[in-house]
Amino acid sequence: MRSGRNQVAAMTQAEKTEPENGREKEKEQRGVKRPIVPAAIPEPLQEHIQSDYVIVIHPGSSTLRIGRATDTHPAAIPHVIARRHKQPGQTYSCDKWLLRDGLNKPESNEQRQNGLKMVDQAIWSKKMSNGTRRIPAVPEQARAYNKQMRPAILDHDSGVKWTNTSHNEEYFVGEEALFVNPADRYDIHYPIRRGQLNIHGGPGGSVTAVLTDLEVIWSHVIQKFLEIQLKDLKYYRCILLIPDIYNRQHVKEMVNMILMKIGFSGVIVHQESVCAVYGSGLTSACVVDVGDQKTSICCVEDGISHRNTRLCLAYGGADVTRCFFWLMQRAGFPYRECQLTNTLDCLLLQQLKETYTHLDQDICGLQDHEFQVRHPDSPALLYQMRLGDEKLQAPMALFYPATFGIVGQKMTHLQHRSQGDPEDPHDEHYLLATQSKQDQSSKASADRKGMPKPSMYDDVRSQGMDPERGHMMESELGPSQADGMGHSNDGEETSASLFSRKTMVSQFEGKALGLDKAILHSIDCCTSDDTKKKMYSSILVIGGGLMFHKAQPFLQHRILNKMPPSFRRMVENVEVITRPKDMDPRVIVWKGGAVLSCLDTTQELWIYQREWQRFGVRMLRERAAFVW
């Protein structure tokens, strides 16, 4: 293998100067297994790419999953970096994890209480499997017990250590970053929040700083966990998995970083929802990705993500964790020193959520639990705790997001039209403008000849409202939101209709849709009844945010109860899939990216270094497997 690699490295220069001879030599060496050094522009006869030399990167808000396409499981590392202060006396900065904007507004607590009332009503209205009503557990009963609990000391040494910073390393990545002592003059940064680059006005919040953090994290992980030297990445290619609702500028910058900074020889960019369908072995599905920071929903049919069905909800597993903490505090949570600003306490709360919360209506009444608190430089403590309905109420907040108490924030995101890119002159704006001029010309010609004018449907298509491309916001809002949004007949929107459309979009995006309602809305945006039936028959739940006991029957029951009556008669079986092929739902997207690397049809999607240097972002429009 090594000798093959050296042989290729030696051949590349000769191949550039003597392409004909290079092809002959390549043919002679077909039987040699070696990494492929791609040509500047791939040729039809180029050898099939070896999956050993394809790295699949799935960058999540809280976890980075990365590995060779041939690996059984990816490496999963906390997607965080700790950077040493550049100057003495610099203020400590730590990006928020469980905390977020909009929680401390005057209306937050009232909204939280109203959401909790709706949750309690939903719990009471659904009977248990034995046909009886569920008896609610009153928080006061648990509070009286929890208030008198004091921790027991298990050991005077917790066994947990702070990360050793004595060598003044410039940065720490992953778990090491989480365990850096706040007194050690390091800032903590999460480069991705809610599925997008974490751009903000604070320290380390510029686009350049965030991209630098991503480059350092990914390069460190590739060397430490995949044991690949950066100088050898010229032999490797990368598959980058991005959210369905993506920021074009951010994706362009990440592709540039992968090819020009980290040094991969080629890259493919693909969407998470399509890869989830590949990874689960399905052909079509309504993909529901419940992550730590956001929840995205999209309908995928035959490998195509329908753009007008895409929704991104600005809440996820971290919000459930914070809600569970609030509910436990109402019940007298015995670990009274717990703070949402403390990273180690946040890790503990996440562990408690994953251990105790559920969506099983049959579990009721008060139950006793115990948990340990192990922090550096502190004894190991054992706490006793009594909980009741809090364990069911917290995950149900996903269906009643008012319970999160988030006020004044944009809670629902849609795929907006591109703002344009000076490096990509022939973008959708150019295509729409030229198409509109052609249509106007054809109308004028038809008038002169006395021919019938193009239909209103042609007008709609000329404005980019093709259901498959979904460039206009009306198609993205779906039938229920698009009513009453008019257009003038000459293909130009009046200022009144434009204002009306923007207002409608703004109102819709301000709503906090529950998970079940968002799924129904996404399916309703499909263009045909046949597609809708397919989606109801295959609702694929992925990500780590809905891995609660009995989540599958719970979600299936809610979808069945709320779907339109007409489809209730048409759809034979509403199926919610939470663990396809018994796979961990957190790695399904990554698995799909690995499957993608093996497909013959994928080979024409690669974007190579020299192509990117020459053509830039235009290569994404040319090669992306989705409408860029």
mmCIF file of all heavy atoms in Angstrom, residues 8 16 35 52 65 79 99 177 237 269 271 276 373 380 528 537 598 606:
data_model
loop_
_atom_site.group_PDB
_atom_site.id
_atom_site.type_symbol
_atom_site.label_atom_id
_atom_site.label_comp_id
_atom_site.label_asym_id
_atom_site.label_seq_id
_atom_site.Cartn_x
_atom_site.Cartn_y
_atom_site.Cartn_z
ATOM 1 N N VAL A 8 2.417 6.622 -6.970
ATOM 2 C CA VAL A 8 1.460 7.576 -7.519
ATOM 3 C C VAL A 8 1.992 8.993 -7.400
ATOM 4 O O VAL A 8 1.921 9.801 -8.323
ATOM 5 C CB VAL A 8 0.115 7.469 -6.768
ATOM 6 C CG1 VAL A 8 -0.811 8.574 -7.232
ATOM 7 C CG2 VAL A 8 -0.510 6.127 -7.040
ATOM 8 N N LYS A 16 0.838 15.145 -15.618
ATOM 9 C CA LYS A 16 0.423 16.498 -15.994
ATOM 10 C C LYS A 16 1.059 16.890 -17.334
ATOM 11 O O LYS A 16 0.428 17.528 -18.177
ATOM 12 C CB LYS A 16 0.831 17.496 -14.908
ATOM 13 C CG LYS A 16 0.004 17.358 -13.641
ATOM 14 C CD LYS A 16 0.502 18.333 -12.587
ATOM 15 C CE LYS A 16 -0.210 18.080 -11.268
ATOM 16 N NZ LYS A 16 0.327 18.895 -10.189
ATOM 17 N N PRO A 35 -4.169 4.489 -3.420
ATOM 18 C CA PRO A 35 -5.021 5.674 -3.404
ATOM 19 C C PRO A 35 -4.931 6.414 -4.723
ATOM 20 O O PRO A 35 -3.892 6.407 -5.374
ATOM 21 C CB PRO A 35 -4.457 6.517 -2.254
ATOM 22 C CG PRO A 35 -3.059 6.028 -2.090
ATOM 23 C CD PRO A 35 -3.064 4.580 -2.489
ATOM 24 N N ASP A 52 -11.777 3.436 1.180
ATOM 25 C CA ASP A 52 -10.796 3.616 2.256
ATOM 26 C C ASP A 52 -10.267 5.042 2.276
ATOM 27 O O ASP A 52 -9.809 5.535 3.307
ATOM 28 C CB ASP A 52 -9.590 2.683 2.054
ATOM 29 C CG ASP A 52 -9.942 1.233 2.330
ATOM 30 O OD1 ASP A 52 -11.087 0.999 2.735
ATOM 31 O OD2 ASP A 52 -9.087 0.363 2.132
ATOM 32 N N ARG A 65 -19.302 13.913 13.903
ATOM 33 C CA ARG A 65 -19.140 12.498 13.540
ATOM 34 C C ARG A 65 -18.309 12.428 12.271
ATOM 35 O O ARG A 65 -18.664 13.020 11.257
ATOM 36 C CB ARG A 65 -20.506 11.828 13.355
ATOM 37 C CG ARG A 65 -21.225 11.691 14.678
ATOM 38 C CD ARG A 65 -22.511 10.899 14.631
ATOM 39 N NE ARG A 65 -22.943 10.621 15.992
ATOM 40 C CZ ARG A 65 -23.618 11.476 16.756
ATOM 41 N NH1 ARG A 65 -23.960 12.655 16.271
ATOM 42 N NH2 ARG A 65 -23.951 11.156 17.990
ATOM 43 N N HIS A 79 -18.335 18.702 19.638
ATOM 44 C CA HIS A 79 -17.924 19.668 18.620
ATOM 45 C C HIS A 79 -17.640 21.018 19.286
ATOM 46 O O HIS A 79 -18.396 21.989 19.130
ATOM 47 C CB HIS A 79 -19.021 19.809 17.559
ATOM 48 C CG HIS A 79 -18.497 20.187 16.213
ATOM 49 N ND1 HIS A 79 -19.295 20.376 15.113
ATOM 50 C CD2 HIS A 79 -17.225 20.412 15.768
ATOM 51 C CE1 HIS A 79 -18.556 20.700 14.074
ATOM 52 N NE2 HIS A 79 -17.301 20.730 14.448
ATOM 53 N N LEU A 99 -28.382 27.349 27.832
ATOM 54 C CA LEU A 99 -29.016 28.670 27.868
ATOM 55 C C LEU A 99 -29.126 29.227 26.451
ATOM 56 O O LEU A 99 -28.352 28.858 25.570
ATOM 57 C CB LEU A 99 -28.206 29.628 28.739
ATOM 58 C CG LEU A 99 -28.241 29.348 30.250
ATOM 59 C CD1 LEU A 99 -27.258 30.235 30.979
ATOM 60 C CD2 LEU A 99 -29.655 29.542 30.801
ATOM 61 N N ALA A 177 -11.694 19.867 25.898
ATOM 62 C CA ALA A 177 -12.136 21.266 25.967
ATOM 63 C C ALA A 177 -13.229 21.445 27.017
ATOM 64 O O ALA A 177 -13.265 22.465 27.719
ATOM 65 C CB ALA A 177 -12.639 21.723 24.595
ATOM 66 N N ARG A 237 -10.447 12.025 -0.227
ATOM 67 C CA ARG A 237 -11.560 12.895 -0.590
ATOM 68 C C ARG A 237 -12.540 12.947 0.574
ATOM 69 O O ARG A 237 -12.511 12.109 1.459
ATOM 70 C CB ARG A 237 -12.239 12.391 -1.859
ATOM 71 C CG ARG A 237 -11.259 12.233 -2.990
ATOM 72 C CD ARG A 237 -11.931 11.824 -4.271
ATOM 73 N NE ARG A 237 -10.912 11.427 -5.269
ATOM 74 C CZ ARG A 237 -11.155 11.239 -6.534
ATOM 75 N NH1 ARG A 237 -12.375 11.403 -6.988
ATOM 76 N NH2 ARG A 237 -10.183 10.882 -7.346
ATOM 77 N N VAL A 269 -20.715 17.598 -1.557
ATOM 78 C CA VAL A 269 -21.612 18.173 -0.551
ATOM 79 C C VAL A 269 -22.988 17.547 -0.740
ATOM 80 O O VAL A 269 -23.500 17.520 -1.864
ATOM 81 C CB VAL A 269 -21.703 19.707 -0.703
ATOM 82 C CG1 VAL A 269 -22.660 20.289 0.319
ATOM 83 C CG2 VAL A 269 -20.329 20.341 -0.553
ATOM 84 N N GLN A 271 -27.039 16.614 1.298
ATOM 85 C CA GLN A 271 -27.973 16.997 2.360
ATOM 86 C C GLN A 271 -28.218 15.852 3.337
ATOM 87 O O GLN A 271 -28.262 14.682 2.963
ATOM 88 C CB GLN A 271 -29.292 17.448 1.744
ATOM 89 C CG GLN A 271 -29.155 18.739 0.961
ATOM 90 C CD GLN A 271 -30.379 19.005 0.110
ATOM 91 O OE1 GLN A 271 -30.722 18.212 -0.752
ATOM 92 N NE2 GLN A 271 -31.039 20.114 0.364
ATOM 93 N N ALA A 276 -29.854 10.347 5.139
ATOM 94 C CA ALA A 276 -30.585 9.547 6.131
ATOM 95 C C ALA A 276 -31.396 8.457 5.448
ATOM 96 O O ALA A 276 -31.481 7.317 5.936
ATOM 97 C CB ALA A 276 -31.503 10.455 6.950
ATOM 98 N N VAL A 373 -22.839 13.016 41.603
ATOM 99 C CA VAL A 373 -22.199 14.240 41.095
ATOM 100 C C VAL A 373 -20.701 14.094 41.309
ATOM 101 O O VAL A 373 -20.238 13.978 42.443
ATOM 102 C CB VAL A 373 -22.726 15.502 41.813
ATOM 103 C CG1 VAL A 373 -21.977 16.735 41.326
ATOM 104 C CG2 VAL A 373 -24.224 15.660 41.592
ATOM 105 N N ALA A 380 -16.932 12.854 45.587
ATOM 106 C CA ALA A 380 -18.027 12.228 44.836
ATOM 107 C C ALA A 380 -19.254 12.170 45.749
ATOM 108 O O ALA A 380 -19.192 11.641 46.858
ATOM 109 C CB ALA A 380 -17.622 10.825 44.396
ATOM 110 N N SER A 528 -48.309 16.115 -4.547
ATOM 111 C CA SER A 528 -49.349 15.175 -4.988
ATOM 112 C C SER A 528 -49.819 14.306 -3.835
ATOM 113 O O SER A 528 -49.085 14.085 -2.864
ATOM 114 C CB SER A 528 -48.818 14.289 -6.122
ATOM 115 O OG SER A 528 -47.880 13.355 -5.618
ATOM 116 N N SER A 537 -46.651 6.868 5.174
ATOM 117 C CA SER A 537 -46.317 5.450 5.368
ATOM 118 C C SER A 537 -44.870 5.245 5.796
ATOM 119 O O SER A 537 -44.462 4.116 6.088
ATOM 120 C CB SER A 537 -46.570 4.673 4.071
ATOM 121 O OG SER A 537 -47.908 4.798 3.680
ATOM 122 N N CYS A 598 -20.021 4.958 -2.246
ATOM 123 C CA CYS A 598 -19.856 3.700 -2.984
ATOM 124 C C CYS A 598 -20.685 3.654 -4.270
ATOM 125 O O CYS A 598 -20.518 2.746 -5.083
ATOM 126 C CB CYS A 598 -20.247 2.512 -2.106
ATOM 127 S SG CYS A 598 -19.366 2.436 -0.537
ATOM 128 N N TRP A 606 -18.002 14.737 -7.720
ATOM 129 C CA TRP A 606 -16.817 15.231 -7.021
ATOM 130 C C TRP A 606 -16.403 16.603 -7.537
ATOM 131 O O TRP A 606 -16.393 16.853 -8.742
ATOM 132 C CB TRP A 606 -15.645 14.250 -7.181
ATOM 133 C CG TRP A 606 -15.823 12.971 -6.443
ATOM 134 C CD1 TRP A 606 -16.135 11.760 -6.982
ATOM 135 C CD2 TRP A 606 -15.718 12.762 -5.031
ATOM 136 N NE1 TRP A 606 -16.228 10.806 -5.993
ATOM 137 C CE2 TRP A 606 -15.978 11.400 -4.785
ATOM 138 C CE3 TRP A 606 -15.429 13.602 -3.955
ATOM 139 C CZ2 TRP A 606 -15.962 10.857 -3.515
ATOM 140 C CZ3 TRP A 606 -15.408 13.055 -2.687
ATOM 141 C CH2 TRP A 606 -15.673 11.705 -2.470
#
